[in-house]
């Protein structure tokens, strides 16, 4: 808030500054009531075409005394090309630096209160000698003002009843009260660092083990599915057939029959297709295709005539496999036991090869 | 008239016969179909069931539908083999006479021989019947009697076991089908059987079946036509062979029955005669369904009836035959597939 007031003061003073052709010094607005952190600003304005030479001390900033620190002088920025073209920046700058007249320059010297005495005290901004670009000397005299603490001297002094030591904080007789002390954080020692690293390492190790277990489980489950799920097995076995035979080879038809039988848990014929759909309702989407397959199979294997419809066994198996994959029972052991009861199904052995031992005997 | 037309005509006759008998004996369509299949496959039928369910009625109805000469023998514990072949008596002139028994009485015109309560007859009587069933002939009085058109229908009740003689394995194997006739479960059928007076008089019911709808004397010929016209594909041949092997060693096929040690279950699998009967019956099923080729469903239709009594179990399981055999056949059907 004080800083804002100071700026307003500067602006007002600039707006009502002395006419052009002289050096004007503007001191801070007030000389009392400064606290730690407040900034006081002196403003030196010169005529058009002139400027104040900024010494190296002013550019870097320095500690003046116990209570004051001079902030580095910031040169006013040159308006950009766009700003010059538009003109607004120039006008705005002129308004701000009106005290220096159009085209003049202004030097802002700012001091910050970095320390305060226990009681209100009068101190001074230091004297300062400056030079203009025209070698005109500018003398800035010392300027007095008062600074003081934010609180009374003994307002928060607290004496510990147990130890007798004095300090800041605790409850006061006048009812003022600090926030309770925050416990200090423990020192972060090298030992702590090693322990933390060890904990981090253990955590990462556990994470890696969990991920590894999950990966192994995924591989194992994938492997089991490929070897247990009926249509997955049929798909794999059909894929092992010569490419030209996959769509229409007798073995491919038998493999698909085996998969359907294994899915139903019993031998399926046209008349018992409802049993299959009851056992595996997720096949309903392809019920028509399955029935067509059975009719074509009957014509092919029993009637020994070309079926009326052309069945692509490979693609039908793939479609049924996709359904099976989405609906795969979580308890694969049940599937395995069901298949275990049907080793000779469709004349195919468990590995999906045609002509089981029983039929080959 | 070509063969196809003959077969088509006979199919119509067979279906009409089934319909007529089905009207007389209600609530037993599958049983009637199986007996009809056996008739056209030239096989003998053993019917088992509770007392009073209509075993005799249905067999008599078939006998009437087949026509020809009919003989009926009641199995009793004192029945002896010679009682089937001849009987002796002293005539009015005081001369000893020997007349042909029920088996020989009609000669070659005998079409239906109905043996009621066969398990009450001694094994000697059953043995005589073995040859008559297998070869359709017997030797007596130094000559051989032929019964080319004879079909043996036998029944036994499963309730009473006292003073009965269980059929030997060889005797059972002579029957193409062993059928179980159970009490109808449908309430409408049950209500008709007890309320409708039309079903109270068996003789009237049997007479409602047209006589000789399927003349027995022609059955051998038409059966031959059926067997030669209905073909089996290599896939069906393999299927039949797989079934046969499964009856011999079900464990090798992964067949399992709850509570049964499959390695100790089978004494002997189905006989060649049994498998032949199965194939013949399957062809008849295909013919009755207007097909010229056999499909697995045809075989499955007759498999329980044709093989259930032909799988010979070890003694430890023989006592549980009525429970184990159907489960075994069902498991075989579930496991063995074609193609």
């Amino acid at each position: 808030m004080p800083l804002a007031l100071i700026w307003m003061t500067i602006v007002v003073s600039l707006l009502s500054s002395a006419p052009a052709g002289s050096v004007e010094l503007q001191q801070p607005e007030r000389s009392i009531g400064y606290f730690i952190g407040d900034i006081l600003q002196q403003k030196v304005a010169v005529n058009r075409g002139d400027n104040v030479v900024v010494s190296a001390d002013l550019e870097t900033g320095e500690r003046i005394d116990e209570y004051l620190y001079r902030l580095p002088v910031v040169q006013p920025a040159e308006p950009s090309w766009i700003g010059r073209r538009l003109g607004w920046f120039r006008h705005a700058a002129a308004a701000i630096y009106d005290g220096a007249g159009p085209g003049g320059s202004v030097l802002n010297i700012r001091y910050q209160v970095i320390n305060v005495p226990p009681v209100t005290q009068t101190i001074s901004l230091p004297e300062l000698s400056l030079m203009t670009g025209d070698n005109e000397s500018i003398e800035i005299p010392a300027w007095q003002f008062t600074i003081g603490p934010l609180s009374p001297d003994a307002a928060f002094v607290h004496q510990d009843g147990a130890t007798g030591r004095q300090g800041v904080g605790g409850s006061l007789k006048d009812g003022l009260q600090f926030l309770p002390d925050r416990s200090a954080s423990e020192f972060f020692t090298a030992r702590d660092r090693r322990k933390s690293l060890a904990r981090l390492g253990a955590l990462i190790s556990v994470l890696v083990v969990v991920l590894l277990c999950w990966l192994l489980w995924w591989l194992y489950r994938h492997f089991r599915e490929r070897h247990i799920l009926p249509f997955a097995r049929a798909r794999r076995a059909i894929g092992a057939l010569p490419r030209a035979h996959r769509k229409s080879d007798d073995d491919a038809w038998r493999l698909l029959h085996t998969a359907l039988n294994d899915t139903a848990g019993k031998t399926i014929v046209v008349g018992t297709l409802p049993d299959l759909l009851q056992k595996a309702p997720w096949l309903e989407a392809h019920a028509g295709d399955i029935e067509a397959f059975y009719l074509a199979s009957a014509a092919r294997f029993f009637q020994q005539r070309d079926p009326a419809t052309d069945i692509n066994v490979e693609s039908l198996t793939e479609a049924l496999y996709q359904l099976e994959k989405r609906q795969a029972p979580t308890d694969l052991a049940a599937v395995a036991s069901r298949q275990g009861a049907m080793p000779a199904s469709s004349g195919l052995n468990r590995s999906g090869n045609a002509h089981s031992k029983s039929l080959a005997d | 008239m070509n063969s196809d037309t003959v077969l088509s005509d006979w199919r119509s006759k067979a279906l009409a016969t089934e319909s007529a008998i089905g009207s007389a004996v209600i609530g037993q369509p599958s049983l009637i179909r199986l007996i009809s299949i056996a008739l056209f496959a030239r096989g003998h039928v053993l019917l088992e069931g509770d007392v009073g369910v209509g075993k005799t009625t249905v067999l008599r109805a078939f006998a009437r539908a087949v026509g020809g000469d009919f003989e009926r023998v009641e199995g009793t514990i004192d029945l002896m083999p010679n009682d089937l072949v001849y009987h002796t008596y002293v005539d009015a002139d005081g001369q000893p006479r020997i007349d042909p028994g029920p088996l020989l009485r009609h000669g070659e015109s005998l079409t239906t021989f109905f043996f009621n309560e066969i398990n009450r007859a001694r094994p000697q009587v059953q043995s005589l019947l073995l040859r008559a069933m297998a070869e359709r002939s017997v030797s007596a009085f130094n000559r051989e009697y032929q019964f080319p058109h004879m079909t043996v229908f036998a029944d036994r009740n499963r309730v009473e076991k006292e003073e009965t003689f269980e059929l030997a394995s060889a005797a059972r194997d002579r029957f193409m089908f062993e059928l179980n006739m159970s009490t109808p479960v449908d309430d409408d059928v049950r209500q008709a059987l007890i309320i409708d007076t039309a079903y109270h008089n068996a003789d009237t019911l049997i007479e409602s079946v047209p006589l000789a709808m399927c003349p027995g004397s022609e059955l051998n010929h038409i059966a031959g036509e059926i067997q030669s016209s209905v073909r089996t594909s290599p896939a069906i041949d393999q299927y039949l062979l797989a079934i046969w092997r499964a009856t011999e060693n079900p464990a090798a096929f992964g067949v399992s029955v709850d509570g049964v040690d499959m390695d100790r279950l089978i004494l002997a699998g189905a006989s060649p005669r049994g498998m032949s009967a199965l194939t013949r019956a399957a062809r008849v099923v295909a013919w009755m369904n207007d097909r010229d080729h056999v499909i697995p469903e045809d075989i499955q239709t007759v498999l329980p009836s044709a093989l259930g009594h032909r799988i010979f179990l070890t003694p430890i399981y023989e006592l549980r035959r009525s429970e184990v055999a159907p489960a075994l056949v069902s498991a075989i059907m579930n496991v063995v597939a074609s193609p």
Side-chain angles (χ1 to χ4, degrees):
Chain A
M1 188 65 181
L3 185 60
L5 290 172
I6 292 169
W7 271 107
M8 288 182 64
T9 303
I10 292 170
V11 170
V12 170
S13 62
L14 285 174
L15 291 175
S16 59
S17 61
S22 63
V23 175
E24 179 149 344
L25 173 64
Q26 178 69 48
Q27 295 290 3
E29 177 198 23
R30 55 186 167 82
S31 58
I32 57 171
Y34 290 95
F35 304 107
I36 189 165
D38 286 349
I39 291 178
L40 297 89
Q41 181 165 279
Q42 291 176 321
K43 188 172 184 66
V44 182
V46 296
N47 285 334
R48 171 196 292 265
D50 202 354
N51 65 303
V52 180
V53 176
V54 178
S55 65
D57 293 344
L58 293 178
E59 282 187 338
T60 57
E62 62 178 336
R63 182 156 184 170
I64 304 302
D65 55 23
E66 184 181 0
Y67 302 113
L68 294 176
Y69 180 83
R70 186 168 61 222
L71 299 172
V73 170
V74 178
Q75 296 284 6
E78 283 293 321
S80 65
W81 177 83
I82 296 176
R84 288 197 297 274
R85 295 288 293 177
L86 295 175
W88 62 267
F89 188 86
R90 180 185 299 275
H91 295 156
I96 293 172
Y97 301 115
D98 190 51
S105 67
V106 177
L107 176 65
N108 291 322
I109 304 169
R110 297 181 301 158
Y111 297 89
Q112 184 165 31
V113 180
I114 58 172
N115 200 2
V116 291
V119 296
T120 303
Q121 182 176 329
T122 300
I123 62 172
S124 300
L125 294 181
E127 295 178 352
L128 197 61
S129 295
L130 300 174
M131 294 292 290
T132 67
D134 297 336
N135 287 327
E136 185 180 346
S137 175
I138 303 173
E139 296 296 332
I140 301 177
W143 186 78
Q144 287 189 328
F145 63 100
T146 63
I147 59 175
L150 288 169
S151 63
D153 182 27
F156 301 106
V157 174
H158 168 70
Q159 183 165 5
D160 188 282
T163 63
R165 295 172 60 186
Q166 285 190 337
V168 175
S171 59
L172 297 171
K173 292 178 180 177
D174 57 3
L176 294 178
Q177 193 168 23
F178 276 148
L179 291 174
D181 289 341
R182 297 177 63 183
S183 58
S185 60
E186 295 180 359
F187 287 104
F188 195 73
T189 62
R191 184 181 175 189
D192 295 333
R193 181 183 177 82
R194 284 195 297 274
K195 286 169 71 176
S196 297
L197 287 175
R199 286 174 186 164
L200 183 63
L203 190 64
I204 292 174
S205 300
V206 169
L207 186 63
V208 168
V209 169
V210 168
L211 286 174
L212 194 61
C213 290
W214 178 84
L215 179 64
L216 289 174
W217 166 247
W218 185 86
L219 290 173
Y220 171 68
R221 186 179 175 83
H222 187 65
F223 173 83
R224 288 191 70 190
E225 284 181 0
R226 278 172 57 87
H227 289 78
I228 290 177
L229 293 181
F231 293 110
R233 293 176 57 249
R235 175 174 172 267
R236 191 164 57 91
I238 290 174
L241 294 174
R243 184 172 295 278
H245 296 173
R246 290 177 192 170
K247 292 181 181 176
S248 58
D249 191 78
D250 280 358
D251 286 343
W253 285 68
R254 289 193 175 95
L255 286 163
L256 183 50
H257 269 294
T258 301
L260 289 161
N261 291 340
D262 288 347
T263 301
K266 60 181 284 191
T267 298
I268 293 296
V269 294
V270 176
T272 55
L273 275 176
D275 295 347
L276 171 68
L277 297 178
Q278 186 180 17
K279 189 80 175 181
W282 41 272
L283 289 174
E284 193 71 49
H286 284 281
D289 296 332
I290 294 172
E291 184 175 3
F293 166 76
Y294 270 93
L295 293 174
S297 175
R300 178 190 186 97
F301 288 102
F302 309 132
Q303 197 173 8
Q304 297 180 286
R305 291 176 184 163
D306 291 334
T309 54
D310 186 26
I311 302 291
N312 185 334
V313 175
E314 185 183 18
S315 49
L316 179 57
T317 304
E318 177 66 28
L320 298 180
Y321 164 69
Q322 294 301 331
L323 289 178
E324 176 186 59
K325 199 164 64 169
R326 286 198 290 271
Q327 300 291 335
T330 52
D331 186 6
L332 291 176
V335 180
S337 65
R338 205 167 63 219
Q339 290 176 349
M342 306 184 62
S345 171
S346 296
L348 297 166
N349 58 31
R350 290 296 95 192
S351 62
N353 297 323
H355 310 305
S356 68
K357 173 182 177 296
S358 56
L359 296 184
D361 287 342
Chain B
M1 189 177 291
N2 61 32
S3 174
D4 289 345
T5 308
V6 170
L7 289 174
S8 179
D9 288 348
W10 271 91
R11 184 184 308 110
S12 301
K13 289 181 183 178
L15 297 178
T17 301
E18 272 189 48
S19 176
I21 296 175
S23 300
V25 182
I26 58 173
Q28 305 286 353
S30 60
L31 177 85
I32 293 170
R33 166 56 65 97
L34 286 168
I35 295 175
S36 183
I37 290 168
L39 205 59
F40 285 95
R42 305 308 297 130
H44 309 292
V45 175
L46 174 61
L47 199 55
E48 184 183 68
D50 298 335
V51 176
V53 293
K55 299 186 295 292
T56 306
T57 304
V58 71
L59 294 180
R60 285 178 61 196
F62 266 100
R64 181 174 173 82
V66 170
D69 290 327
F70 170 83
E71 265 310 330
R72 172 172 175 169
V73 172
E74 303 297 328
T76 58
I77 193 169
D78 57 351
L79 185 72
M80 296 303 288
N82 55 295
D83 293 331
L84 299 181
V85 178
Y86 66 91
H87 76 270
T88 59
Y89 64 98
V90 178
D91 67 6
D93 300 328
Q95 298 297 316
R97 297 291 301 268
I98 300 176
D99 281 353
L103 199 54
L104 306 186
R105 187 173 300 145
H106 303 284
E108 293 190 0
S109 63
L110 178 64
T111 55
T112 304
F113 189 82
F114 180 26
F115 205 128
N116 203 16
E117 303 261 18
I118 189 173
N119 57 333
R120 292 193 181 280
R122 291 170 177 272
Q124 298 94 316
V125 179
Q126 297 172 1
S127 295
L128 172 69
L129 211 56
L130 296 182
R131 178 179 172 186
M133 291 165 67
E135 302 174 11
R136 286 191 167 88
S137 67
V138 294
S139 294
F141 309 120
N142 298 320
R143 57 166 290 199
E144 190 167 287
Y145 292 84
Q146 300 286 337
F147 319 108
H149 308 297
M150 180 185 71
T151 301
V152 174
F153 290 147
D155 75 358
R156 63 180 176 187
N157 80 65
R158 66 181 179 189
V159 176
E160 293 175 326
K161 297 297 181 187
E162 292 178 359
E163 293 187 344
T164 61
F165 300 91
E166 192 51 56
L167 287 176
S169 301
R172 287 203 308 268
D173 197 49
R174 259 60 170 192
F175 288 101
M176 171 172 272
F177 290 161
E178 180 176 304
L179 304 177
N180 196 321
M181 187 172 186
S182 54
T183 305
V185 294
D186 185 69
D187 280 346
D188 291 339
V189 174
R190 288 186 172 216
Q191 186 175 354
L193 287 174
I194 60 174
I195 303 297
D196 192 340
T197 55
Y199 297 104
H200 292 179
N201 189 327
D203 291 335
T204 306
L205 282 173
I206 292 167
E207 285 173 8
S208 70
V209 177
L211 184 63
M213 295 178 74
C214 297
S217 59
E218 300 177 39
L219 286 178
N220 283 343
H221 170 68
I222 196 65
E225 287 289 321
I226 292 169
Q227 295 300 317
S228 60
S229 65
V230 178
R231 67 182 192 281
T232 59
S233 68
I236 289 294
D237 296 345
Q238 290 297 316
Y239 182 49
L240 287 165
L241 287 174
I243 289 173
W244 194 0
R245 290 190 184 280
T247 65
E248 295 170 336
N249 189 3
F253 280 72
V255 175
S256 62
V257 177
D258 287 344
V260 173
D261 180 357
M262 300 305 293
D263 293 328
R264 302 175 63 188
L265 175 63
I266 300 296
L267 197 60
S271 64
R273 176 167 46 211
M275 292 305 299
S276 168
L278 174 67
T279 308
R280 282 188 287 130
R283 284 198 177 103
V284 173
V285 177
W287 167 73
M288 294 185 98
N289 288 300
D290 199 12
R291 265 187 279 102
D292 65 351
H293 61 278
V294 175
I295 61 175
E297 289 96 315
D298 299 335
I299 296 170
Q300 291 175 5
T301 299
V302 293
L303 186 58
S305 305
L307 292 192
H309 62 292
R310 284 194 164 96
I311 298 173
F312 305 107
L313 306 179
T314 53
I316 192 173
Y317 289 111
E318 183 61 37
L319 295 174
R320 296 169 54 196
R321 164 172 287 278
S322 61
E323 169 197 349
V324 172
L328 176 63
V329 171
S330 176
I332 289 173
M333 284 200 298
N334 279 341
V335 169
V336 181
S338 179

